[in-house]
Amino acid sequence: MTGLLRTRAVGRALPRLDGPLKVTGQAPYAYEQPVDHPAYLHPVQAVIARGRVQSVDTGAAEALDGVVAVITHLNAPRLADDSDREYRVLQSDEVAHYGQIIGGVVADTPQIARQAAGMVGVCYDIRPHDVELRADRSDLYAPEALNAGYPTDTERGDVEAALFSAAVTIDHTYGTPMEHNNPMEPHTTVAVWDADSGRMTLYDSNQGAYPIRTTLAPVFGIEPDRLRVVSPYVGGAFGCKGYPKAHHVLVGLAAWMVPGRPVKLALTRQQMFDLVGYRTPTIQRVRLGADSDGRLVAIAHDVVEQTARLKEFAEQTATPTRTMYAAPHRRTTHRLAALDVAVPTWMRAPGVTPGMFAGEVAMDEMAIACGLDPIEFRLRNEPRVDPDTGLPYSSRNLAACLRSGARRFGWSERAPIPRARREDGWLVGIGVAASTYPGHVLPGSVAVIHFGADRCYRVRIAAADIGTGTWTALTQIAADALDCPTDDIRLEIGDTDLPVATVEGGSTGISCWGSAIVAAARAFRAEHGTEPAPGARARAEMPTNRDLDRFAMHAYGAQFAQVRVDADTGEIRVSRLLGVFAVGRIVNPLTARSQLVGGMTMGLSMALFERSVVDPRFGNVVNRDFAEYHVATNADVEDVEATWIDECDPHYNPMGAKGIGEIGIVGTAAAIVNAVHHATGIRVRQLPVTPDKLLP
């Protein structure tokens, strides 16, 4: 790794530079981009889980005043590349899951489009479907690789023999349900097709303009430079906007069908439960074995999860178990059930979040079985090198997080046995869990810096800001790299007319984009000095980091939770949450704290509320709105505090920073479940923790 960035702006609590535009309504989100004479698109969706469209009656819809076009598989334009079945929209009569797009209506208003979509008559040839995930299925299989390229299974030593001879063992099964991302801004795309030039523009809500273009251009048969994707402001994503979905293809087809008119599509909240992915449900068997001193000798983590028959997505659920704690004998496996469901997708800390829930609840159970304090048990099993790769860690300050959090939270006052504290009819308990997230790196981001006549530096890179603070953090990094005030930086992001940038995913954004900006700034200064002439320019790609092959790189944290459980009703309240993190140098304390608190709040929601319920008779998610899919609200979130230890990782990137967007959620659900056990003596192993699980 080349030299660390000298920081002056980095580390300052600079308020969000995009804040005033957002609160005054001047920041255009995808649906608000100004276009002339738009038409509006509403999907027609399948109401069966598997089969074929036998016939379609569009007459009533086409007769409705204001309808511009009705699209079905019978009249839709042919795609240039439909090899990816997820994007094979309206190319055949096949139905692969409930809610699949089988048509669309384009109209002069969104209301007319929605009404007409409901008037399209469809007859089906219904086939038997299967949407139930079970661990005892005979058709489970091992995928070739997991999401992010991880190997499916790993094994070191003789796990079964070590478990058999261990002084203390546990063997439990943990479960997490299907969950849906549900960002505040729904998935939205505005497609503008210029038939004369053969160019298409997509104003889109996404996590990366270039990944959207790279995927969709061959599908549409358009040269990449003729497909522009614009997304400077995005109202949340949590992973489900990381790559194109079927609705992107639908709106492109609609734009072709009505040349000369931009086509707007904003999915409804209900449609998002069908069309944009979800976190796969998991069934996880965790077995731990320890010696008489409480040191782990064996770890086995076997995962069963679902994918779609339409297209495989294999979540990397057991991967954190491979690196988290020391044990000479260890095994992880993943098995998939291919079902008649929509395709799963990324959801904040994919794989790591459900996997660490199971692993950290199991660690709590094992600590009790060994007669050890849960923090002491974790410290006793700290690895000296990465158990998965054998590499040294670039930095690993989990122990410091645990010790600092214990002091701040008052862990020493914790009762040694469950159900020992009762206050005014509430059972009170506290719990802890560790968290980790890998230091992913995605190569390829490029930054260009241009010095203007106004004496300001235009920093151009097609990065994404999904509400995380990218506008502000990259400005700070650029200011330090150029050794100038932040007021002299003019950042441009979110557009494929800018230099290429990788996706905002895997907590990689600031690291990859920031590294490219630092490289461009150093090239600029080397070529033009500190007194550049107007028009001076430099370009650089994110450099290769050779330390990636020499060190294991991860962020760490420790979450502490205090809960109150009503002894009569089982109602659960999380009265305190504390997260202490080791995430390298903090670029901006304001935006960092926002991300960490947001992640912990989402973990609270996962622990107590979130569960998508599928009706096996029809294959549909039945609780498909915020009235029935419960997420944490202000009333559920009491005292949440996020802090960090002083750390700089010189091996990861020039800023010394690690990703923070996802680690906040990772250990939170486990900490809450462990606190519920401490309060009640009842161990819940299936999320969410609802009152019925705590009552006799």
Side-chain angles (χ1 to χ4, degrees):
M1 187 80 227
T2 53
L4 278 170
L5 179 68
R6 294 173 59 188
T7 59
R8 181 175 59 182
V10 168
R12 283 175 47 203
L14 186 67
R16 290 176 184 259
L17 299 178
D18 51 328
L21 292 176
K22 289 181 175 179
V23 299
T24 57
Q26 298 178 72
Y29 291 82
Y31 202 73
E32 301 161 341
Q33 293 281 355
V35 293
D36 294 329
H37 192 43
Y40 299 86
L41 172 64
H42 195 89
V44 178
Q45 296 176 262
V47 295
I48 65 170
R50 183 167 176 250
R52 294 193 175 277
V53 174
Q54 207 167 51
S55 63
V56 184
D57 183 357
T58 61
E62 291 170 327
L64 189 65
D65 188 34
V67 169
V68 178
V70 179
I71 315 169
T72 72
H73 71 281
L74 299 173
N75 65 343
R78 298 297 93 184
L79 298 171
D81 181 359
D82 64 357
S83 57
D84 188 321
R85 295 182 66 201
E86 188 174 10
Y87 307 135
R88 198 179 294 171
V89 178
L90 304 186
Q91 302 300 291
S92 76
D93 59 0
E94 180 186 12
V95 176
H97 65 86
Y98 188 100
Q100 177 183 313
I101 293 172
I102 58 171
V105 174
V106 184
D108 290 333
T109 71
Q111 293 81 9
I112 294 172
R114 185 167 187 167
Q115 179 185 357
M119 299 169 67
V120 175
V122 183
C123 290
Y124 301 95
D125 174 16
I126 302 175
R127 309 288 173 84
H129 65 265
D130 182 2
V131 297
E132 294 188 82
L133 177 65
R134 303 187 316 276
D136 61 352
R137 296 178 62 104
S138 61
D139 58 350
L140 298 176
Y141 72 97
E144 291 187 6
L146 305 175
N147 179 50
Y150 287 103
T152 300
D153 299 343
T154 59
E155 184 160 11
R156 287 172 175 78
D158 191 335
V159 173
E160 297 301 329
L163 286 168
F164 181 78
S165 60
V168 184
T169 61
I170 65 164
D171 181 351
H172 295 301
T173 299
Y174 305 86
T176 59
M178 175 190 285
E179 300 165 350
H180 279 80
N181 305 45
N182 275 305
M184 184 180 295
E185 180 196 23
H187 289 64
T188 302
T189 305
V190 180
V192 183
W193 170 247
D194 185 338
D196 294 333
S197 66
R199 294 180 180 273
M200 182 181 289
T201 300
L202 298 180
Y203 300 102
D204 185 55
S205 179
N206 62 59
Q207 293 172 233
Y210 268 92
I212 298 295
R213 186 179 86 168
T214 300
T215 303
L216 289 180
V219 173
F220 291 140
I222 301 173
E223 290 299 319
D225 62 358
R226 292 180 175 270
L227 177 59
R228 183 186 179 194
V229 181
V230 183
S231 51
Y233 302 99
V234 179
F238 311 118
C240 62
K241 297 178 183 177
Y243 54 88
K245 303 294 187 293
H247 71 274
H248 286 96
V249 180
L250 177 66
V251 73
L253 294 174
W256 280 342
M257 294 279 287
V258 290
R261 293 190 69 176
V263 177
K264 288 191 169 190
L265 169 63
L267 297 185
T268 66
R269 185 64 57 183
Q270 292 81 7
Q271 288 167 345
M272 288 174 61
F273 282 84
D274 300 321
L275 297 175
V276 301
Y278 53 89
R279 195 194 296 281
T280 178
T282 69
I283 303 167
Q284 306 178 54
R285 184 186 182 191
V286 179
R287 293 183 288 165
L288 302 177
D291 62 21
S292 56
D293 292 328
R295 287 182 169 80
L296 291 169
V297 296
I299 300 172
H301 190 171
D302 301 303
V303 179
V304 174
E305 55 198 25
Q306 78 181 39
T307 187
R309 233 184 282 275
L310 181 70
K311 177 181 175 180
E312 183 179 280
F313 179 87
E315 189 150 313
Q316 66 271 37
T317 303
T319 54
T321 301
R322 299 172 182 176
T323 187
M324 197 61 191
Y325 298 108
H329 306 277
R330 48 203 312 118
R331 183 178 69 230
T332 64
T333 68
H334 297 79
R335 297 295 178 267
L336 298 183
L339 304 177
D340 300 308
V341 294
V343 183
T345 193
W346 305 334
M347 186 170 180
R348 201 172 199 164
V352 182
T353 296
M356 284 292 283
F357 161 71
E360 286 300 297
V361 175
M363 287 292 287
D364 199 70
E365 299 203 58
M366 192 63 172
I368 294 171
C370 292
L372 292 172
D373 174 85
I375 292 178
E376 171 57 29
F377 180 62
R378 286 171 171 82
L379 294 174
R380 197 167 291 195
N381 288 284
E382 270 284 282
R384 287 179 293 180
V385 297
D386 178 16
D388 188 36
T389 63
L391 296 173
Y393 291 100
S394 61
S395 60
R396 180 181 168 110
N397 283 305
L398 173 59
C401 294
L402 287 164
R403 292 187 176 110
S404 174
R407 288 193 301 271
R408 298 173 68 101
F409 206 72
W411 185 264
S412 61
E413 300 173 9
R414 177 181 184 267
I417 60 173
R419 207 178 172 89
R421 182 177 168 190
R422 186 172 181 138
E423 297 175 357
D424 299 325
W426 294 84
L427 300 170
V428 182
I430 64 175
V432 67
S435 54
T436 188
Y437 196 77
H440 293 303
V441 173
L442 302 175
S445 292
V446 174
V448 169
I449 296 176
H450 181 273
F451 188 68
D454 58 359
R455 312 299 296 175
C456 291
Y457 298 88
R458 275 160 181 79
V459 179
R460 310 175 80 236
I461 183 170
D465 192 326
I466 59 176
T468 54
T470 299
W471 281 102
T472 309
L474 290 186
T475 297
Q476 292 175 267
I477 291 169
D480 278 350
L482 290 164
D483 194 22
C484 70
T486 54
D487 288 345
D488 290 351
I489 302 296
R490 300 290 183 268
L491 182 68
E492 299 177 34
I493 65 172
D495 191 331
T496 53
D497 279 356
L498 302 172
V500 64
T502 51
V503 69
E504 169 72 291
S507 294
T508 62
I510 293 300
S511 178
C512 296
W513 309 327
S515 296
I517 288 172
V518 171
R522 289 174 174 170
F524 185 95
R525 287 294 183 229
E527 185 176 350
H528 303 292
T530 57
E531 295 294 334
R537 180 182 181 276
R539 174 190 183 277
E541 183 174 347
M542 182 185 80
T544 299
N545 181 0
R546 304 196 184 281
D547 281 356
L548 295 173
D549 298 325
R550 299 174 53 232
F551 296 94
M553 299 183 182
H554 302 262
Y556 293 96
Q559 277 99 325
F560 295 78
Q562 177 178 289
V563 303
R564 295 177 291 124
V565 180
D566 189 291
D568 296 321
T569 68
E571 177 188 349
I572 309 158
R573 306 294 295 178
V574 179
S575 49
R576 277 199 300 157
L577 274 178
L578 168 67
V580 181
F581 300 95
V583 288
R585 179 178 282 157
I586 298 297
V587 175
N588 184 317
L590 283 178
T591 56
R593 184 170 285 107
S594 174
Q595 283 298 289
L596 295 170
V597 167
M600 293 169 67
T601 302
M602 197 167 172
L604 183 157
S605 193
M606 172 186 179
L608 301 186
F609 304 116
E610 294 193 44
R611 179 191 177 208
S612 302
V613 180
V614 175
D615 187 332
R617 299 171 300 169
F618 307 109
N620 63 313
V621 176
V622 295
N623 56 331
R624 46 199 292 115
D625 55 39
F626 283 159
E628 295 183 274
Y629 182 89
H630 294 167
V631 297
T633 64
N634 287 349
D636 303 304
V637 183
E638 299 186 33
D639 181 357
V640 182
E641 181 184 0
T643 187
W644 45 83
I645 65 170
D646 188 19
E647 179 186 79
C648 176
D649 191 328
H651 302 289
Y652 190 38
N653 54 48
M655 296 79 69
K658 299 178 182 177
I660 59 173
E662 290 165 285
I663 193 170
I665 191 177
V666 171
T668 304
I672 291 169
V673 166
N674 293 340
V676 167
H677 174 264
H678 186 242
T680 65
I682 299 171
R683 179 66 69 181
V684 178
R685 301 188 181 98
Q686 175 71 49
L687 289 180
V689 186
T690 46
D692 57 294
K693 296 173 183 173
L694 303 178
L695 296 175

